[in-house]
Amino acid sequence: MNTMTQPMHSPQSQPATRTGAQLVVDTLAALGVDCVFGYPGGAIMPVYDALPQGTTRHILVRHEQAAAFAADAYGRITGRAGVCLATSGPGATNLITGIANAYLDSVPMVAITGQVPQTLMGTDAFQETDIFGMTMPIVKHSIIVRRPEDIPSAMAEAFAIAEGGRPGPVLVDLPKDVQQAVCEPGALRRPEANILPAPTSESIAEAERLIARAKKPLFYLGGGVARANASEMVRRIVEESGIPAVATLQGLGVLPPEHPAMLGMLGMHGHRPANMAVQECDLLIVLGARFDDRATGKLAEFAPHASVVHIDVDAAELGKLRFAHAAVCGNLKASLATIDFEKGEIDAWTRSTAETREKHAPRYDAPGNGIYAPAMLKTLSERVGDDFVVACDVGQHQMWVAQHCRFSRPQAHLTSGGLGAMGFGLPAAIGAKLAEPDSHVFAVCGDGGFQMNIQELATLRRYQIPVKILLLDNAMLGLVRQWQELFFDGNYSEVDLSDNPDFVEVANAFGIEAFGIERREEVDGAIDRLINARGPILAHVRIDPEENVWPLVPPGKSNAEMMEKRHDA
């Protein structure tokens, strides 16, 4: 790999020797890392001993999984690798869920783990686990550093790989003896940016031919648009071409929901206009998406009349699940810049999709006096405006956020898509707020997921991170209960959370301001209180345990077979 060399220190301050741990801290600073999330332990203790000497801020979380989730959110918002730090053994294994989450959602991350000394590796030593082997399927690359003088180049390589091409996590495993060893520091060798292959002229020509002849073209926007920092370009292309668009869960925010071309989210809990358009279109223009099963439903019946133009940086995704008539491999922005989106006559198609969108617009006039979560989320996001950023846990509330919140950009919607990891919301909100201090960052949590990382209230308190927590409590594992109702004959097995604690008292015990509401007339005041709070705050919102997420495509069914709310229930 080609490298670019620069001094680690100015000539006047060049130290004679440095420990490996000090080189870790020096390199983080040289690479511009301003924040890391971690938890100390024996095998990483030399690095923690050196941390106070550096300029990188360390955030002490209360569980290593939270460190990985916070680093994940930091990476999603900034586009730079988020960094998490843990010791060997249980510390490293506690990172695994967060590493897998970053891998499946293509998020840049560098996970640094301590390891037992090299003389003890392979001996089942205290707190030894083969984290290198355990994470191989869920990282872009792994590095075990064997000599202290290799630390700067290894770290620089890790960041370059994590951030380059299709982003993802990289593991750097540091044996304790390497951290403690002393060496003369050399220059930091930064790998040159990998030059991605340019799309072929043949694939571009075929894409242009398909677009020009299509009568019912449709953009299919995925998370790769945000990863490529291509949202503004895509918006301009959509507006100039007039071609309607749908988005995956990770593609939300590329077009705001009020945009006239935006038909909504497709898939299992997608908007009906989006799913109908996909089933009727004759051309899918797929930008940075991977035909995930939750988006496509029954794949054999997905977009049955459509040819496919698929543009992606990862050649492995092209043709993996759906044949691409034009497979355009390369950086998304560079690829889009080479394509002429000159289209045929599509006015009848755009009128039809606009009419369908208007006909099937969501309704918020739910009966009763209880709090209707979709209406509250919609109002909250609109009241906050373009500064609204949300980090979600996984479940019904996650789908309501996706369906009903307004996002001005994809970086404002942080959600665990591919892995679907409960417990993501609160630590991700911490990472988001530290990455973007001027935004209004909300953690939208369910009562199940919130309790999986509830200890991070202590992190909020310690650093006074002004995250706003909207806790939607239905005393149930709501999405599991919904599936049991619809597909398991109402056998509600192990979903009852009616013995939840008093979350307001729990938050107060952590030193966090908190309040509760349960009636619809309390919603406006609660939203005002959340928005105006200067520090961290929790709103405990009781909602109907029998409320379901609609629409719903049953598992194994086509997206054309959407179930709607039973109004006679």
Side-chain angles (χ1 to χ4, degrees):
M1 180 179 291
N2 294 330
T3 58
M4 294 182 293
T5 303
Q6 67 180 58
M8 286 284 286
H9 302 269
S10 64
Q12 294 82 6
S13 62
Q14 180 75 19
T17 59
R18 303 290 277 171
T19 66
Q22 290 170 328
L23 285 176
V24 171
V25 174
D26 293 345
T27 306
L28 288 173
L31 293 172
V33 177
D34 54 11
C35 182
V36 301
F37 305 89
Y39 201 92
I44 198 69
M45 205 173 295
V47 169
Y48 273 85
D49 183 59
L51 268 174
Q53 305 167 28
T55 58
T56 301
R57 184 184 186 191
H58 179 271
I59 301 297
L60 177 67
V61 296
R62 301 306 170 97
H63 192 287
E64 291 91 351
Q65 184 185 100
F69 283 154
D72 175 302
Y74 190 95
R76 290 179 198 243
I77 283 188
T78 65
R80 306 191 308 274
V83 182
C84 52
L85 191 59
T87 192
S88 64
T93 58
N94 281 345
L95 293 178
I96 287 177
T97 297
I99 293 172
N101 194 71
Y103 182 77
L104 289 174
D105 285 352
S106 302
V107 178
M109 174 192 290
V110 173
I112 302 170
T113 53
Q115 185 55 274
V116 300
Q118 293 180 85
T119 55
L120 296 179
M121 291 173 66
T123 69
D124 298 327
F126 177 68
Q127 290 192 336
E128 180 192 6
T129 56
D130 179 13
I131 195 64
F132 183 95
M134 294 168 77
T135 58
M136 282 187 70
I138 55 169
V139 295
K140 283 186 72 176
H141 189 60
S142 303
I143 302 170
I144 299 178
V145 184
R146 300 291 186 176
R147 305 184 308 165
E149 55 266 34
D150 294 337
I151 285 174
S153 59
M155 296 278 289
E157 181 186 13
F159 279 81
I161 293 172
E163 296 170 357
R166 180 177 181 173
V170 174
L171 176 79
V172 179
D173 202 29
L174 296 171
K176 191 172 183 179
D177 58 309
V178 175
Q179 298 173 53
Q180 294 172 317
V182 175
C183 68
E184 294 184 3
L188 173 62
R189 300 173 65 82
R190 292 177 181 264
E192 292 182 353
N194 290 326
I195 300 175
L196 298 172
T200 65
S201 58
E202 292 81 6
S203 66
I204 296 297
E206 182 61 15
E208 291 176 342
R209 186 183 71 82
L210 291 169
I211 293 167
R213 77 176 191 183
K215 302 298 184 186
K216 298 180 179 181
L218 186 68
F219 281 111
Y220 174 178
L221 311 177
V225 176
R227 303 295 180 265
N229 196 27
S231 295
E232 290 186 11
M233 176 180 281
V234 170
R235 285 188 190 186
R236 186 177 69 253
I237 291 171
V238 169
E239 289 164 1
E240 292 175 352
S241 69
I243 297 172
V246 301
T248 67
L249 180 68
Q250 299 287 356
L252 294 173
V254 174
L255 296 175
E258 70 272 14
H259 194 286
M262 180 59 173
L263 303 178
M265 180 175 70
L266 81 162
M268 177 174 282
H269 288 295
H271 299 90
R272 178 169 284 277
N275 280 342
M276 290 176 65
V278 171
Q279 295 305 102
E280 295 172 13
C281 72
D282 63 3
L283 177 67
L284 270 181
I285 307 169
V286 185
L287 307 183
R290 57 189 179 89
F291 292 95
D292 177 76
D293 59 290
R294 287 294 176 99
T296 65
K298 187 176 182 180
L299 186 61
E301 298 177 16
F302 178 73
H305 311 298
S307 299
V308 172
V309 172
H310 195 171
I311 307 174
D312 203 285
V313 72
D314 187 354
E317 292 295 343
L318 301 176
K320 184 176 80 173
L321 295 173
R322 176 69 181 257
F323 175 74
H325 299 80
V328 182
C329 183
N331 175 272
L332 190 63
K333 290 178 75 172
S335 298
L336 290 173
T338 65
I339 296 175
D340 183 354
F341 284 88
E342 184 67 32
K343 65 190 186 308
E345 175 55 55
I346 65 169
D347 287 352
W349 169 241
T350 57
R351 283 195 303 270
S352 173
T353 57
E355 290 168 1
T356 303
R357 168 179 153 158
E358 183 177 355
K359 178 180 177 181
H360 295 285
R363 295 175 55 183
Y364 297 98
D365 54 346
N369 297 317
I371 295 169
Y372 185 47
M376 183 176 187
L377 289 164
K378 179 178 185 291
T379 302
L380 173 65
S381 64
E382 291 175 347
R383 189 90 59 85
V384 176
D386 288 349
D387 291 333
F388 180 70
V389 174
V390 63
C392 263
D393 271 334
V394 169
Q396 287 180 313
H397 60 285
Q398 178 192 30
M399 295 298 101
W400 286 326
V401 165
Q403 291 174 335
H404 303 288
C405 283
R406 179 191 180 276
F407 299 108
S408 62
R409 56 199 171 101
Q411 292 83 2
H413 178 224
L414 310 176
T415 195
S416 175
L419 192 64
M422 294 175 68
F424 176 78
L426 179 55
I430 291 171
K433 186 64 180 177
L434 292 170
E436 212 165 71
D438 294 332
S439 291
H440 284 276
V441 177
F442 289 79
V444 178
C445 304
D447 48 312
F450 182 62
Q451 293 182 83
M452 290 194 172
N453 272 314
I454 197 170
Q455 76 284 338
E456 297 313 311
L457 290 173
T459 307
L460 290 185
R461 171 63 176 175
R462 166 171 287 204
Y463 300 102
Q464 280 298 297
I465 303 170
V467 164
K468 307 353 179 13
I469 304 167
L470 185 64
L471 175 56
L472 298 174
D473 180 6
N474 58 7
M476 285 279 177
L477 293 175
L479 204 52
V480 180
R481 184 211 60 78
Q482 178 171 341
W483 278 48
Q484 289 174 344
E485 174 191 333
L486 299 175
F487 310 122
F488 292 87
D489 300 320
N491 180 25
Y492 299 122
S493 174
E494 302 301 330
V495 292
D496 178 14
L497 299 181
S498 58
D499 55 352
N500 278 332
D502 183 325
F503 289 110
V504 172
E505 289 192 5
V506 170
N508 289 159
F510 276 98
I512 302 296
E513 179 185 354
F515 65 97
I517 62 171
E518 54 187 52
R519 299 189 308 278
R520 195 168 300 179
E521 61 266 26
E522 298 175 290
V523 167
D524 283 344
I527 289 175
D528 287 340
R529 185 170 174 181
L530 285 168
I531 293 173
N532 294 325
R534 293 181 175 273
I537 187 171
L538 180 146
H540 178 216
V541 182
R542 294 189 184 276
I543 62 173
D544 184 354
E546 296 185 0
E547 188 66 58
N548 287 334
V549 179
W550 303 107
L552 166 64
V553 176
K557 299 293 185 180
S558 161
N559 283 354
E561 301 176 77
M562 301 188 78
M563 298 174 63
E564 299 283 0
K565 184 173 184 177
R566 294 194 291 265
H567 296 288
D568 58 347

